[in-house]
Amino acid sequence: GSRCLQDFKEIAAEYYKDTYQKLINGIGQWHILHADETRSRLRTSNGYIWVLTNLKTVVFIFRPDRTCVFLDKITENLKGVFVSDFYKGYESLKCEQQKCLVHLLRDVNDILFKEQQNDEVNLIANKFGGLLRKIVSTIDKYGLKKRNLNKHWKDVETFYKAINLIDYKSKNGKALFDRFARSKKNLFTFLSHDNIPWNNNNAEHSF
């Protein structure tokens, strides 16, 4: 019964231990590393399952909590780009990062829905939406190619100049601006690379 099943799990875990470690060790060579995590309920405790994928290979890691210090070693020599949501635990990683712009757009729209009369939020939302439409139009036409996407760095700088000129009075307007300012270096990394997506849908769909 349950004892036999437990024995089988332990045997399988031991059998695949070396293969699993080779997968972990090989992550540094990946061109892209999507990451996401979700809460996991166990019989006696809770934890988190992390998914790491490069679209071809998927690695699942169980951790007892949501701290992601373990990713420091996994990503310290990463040759590619780390693509994720805005979880603060990732901010200390030393590798190149691309934050999910779908998450950001969703958050902007949520604030806009609640603050429809806020001119500051409206302006940021409109400018950001216009910037994304230009970039996505290029992606639809040419794909994720840096030779075509590089031109949008000028549009990015125009966007930041526009939101820098606003004299922020509202709490949500200032908070939204601060978020864009704080995350600037990780929002548009994909413009300088080939085949790096601007969202983290691939990791989310791996669960």
Side-chain angles (χ1 to χ4, degrees):
S2 59
R3 181 65 250 178
C4 290
L5 180 60
Q6 183 61 33
D7 289 344
F8 174 78
K9 288 179 179 178
E10 290 175 3
I11 292 169
E14 184 64 28
Y15 181 80
Y16 287 109
K17 185 168 67 175
D18 289 344
T19 300
Y20 180 75
Q21 194 56 51
K22 285 179 182 178
L23 286 173
I24 296 291
N25 295 341
I27 288 175
Q29 302 300 315
W30 289 2
H31 169 67
I32 185 171
L33 169 53
H34 286 274
D36 199 14
E37 83 289 337
T38 188
R39 184 185 293 274
S40 175
R41 296 180 182 276
L42 304 178
R43 286 182 180 177
T44 57
S45 63
N46 293 326
Y48 283 84
I49 295 176
W50 300 77
V51 59
L52 308 176
T53 180
N54 63 357
L55 309 187
K56 293 181 179 179
T57 302
V58 181
V59 177
F60 293 97
I61 299 176
F62 175 80
R63 303 290 297 178
D65 55 48
R66 205 183 177 199
T67 58
C68 55
V69 178
F70 74 98
L71 283 172
D72 290 348
K73 184 167 182 60
I74 291 176
T75 62
E76 63 182 353
N77 296 312
L78 182 66
K79 299 183 183 303
V81 177
F82 183 87
V83 183
S84 70
D85 58 22
F86 286 83
Y87 173 46
K88 287 187 177 181
Y90 300 135
E91 292 180 1
S92 63
L93 299 181
K94 302 297 190 294
C95 55
E96 272 197 287
Q97 296 190 44
Q98 171 61 50
K99 295 302 181 186
C100 178
L101 296 188
V102 170
H103 274 84
L104 181 55
L105 184 61
R106 191 182 303 147
D107 291 346
V108 170
N109 286 335
D110 286 345
I111 296 170
L112 185 61
F113 181 77
K114 297 172 184 174
E115 298 258 338
Q116 295 180 31
Q117 304 304 315
N118 188 321
D119 291 339
E120 298 166 7
V121 172
N122 265 287
L123 184 56
I124 294 177
N126 287 335
K127 293 291 185 182
F128 183 51
L131 172 62
L132 282 187
R133 282 191 292 274
K134 282 185 177 181
I135 294 173
V136 171
S137 177
T138 297
I139 294 172
D140 287 344
K141 190 172 183 180
Y142 300 106
L144 291 163
K145 302 297 181 184
K146 64 180 180 181
R147 69 173 180 270
N148 304 112
L149 291 171
N150 257 325
K151 66 181 181 182
H152 289 297
W153 278 115
K154 289 189 294 184
D155 298 318
V156 170
E157 290 307 318
T158 298
F159 165 73
Y160 273 96
K161 285 178 183 177
I163 67 173
N164 266 310
L165 290 174
I166 303 172
D167 182 20
Y168 293 95
K169 304 291 186 184
S170 71
K171 179 181 177 181
N172 280 331
K174 181 68 165 60
L176 192 54
F177 168 78
D178 287 345
R179 182 172 181 184
F180 273 99
R182 186 175 63 252
S183 304
K184 182 179 179 181
K185 72 172 185 175
N186 294 326
L187 292 184
F188 300 99
T189 305
F190 73 103
L191 297 178
S192 298
H193 292 268
D194 287 329
N195 301 316
I196 299 298
W198 53 281
N199 59 69
N200 197 36
N201 292 346
N202 292 306
E204 294 176 5
H205 293 161
S206 294
F207 282 114

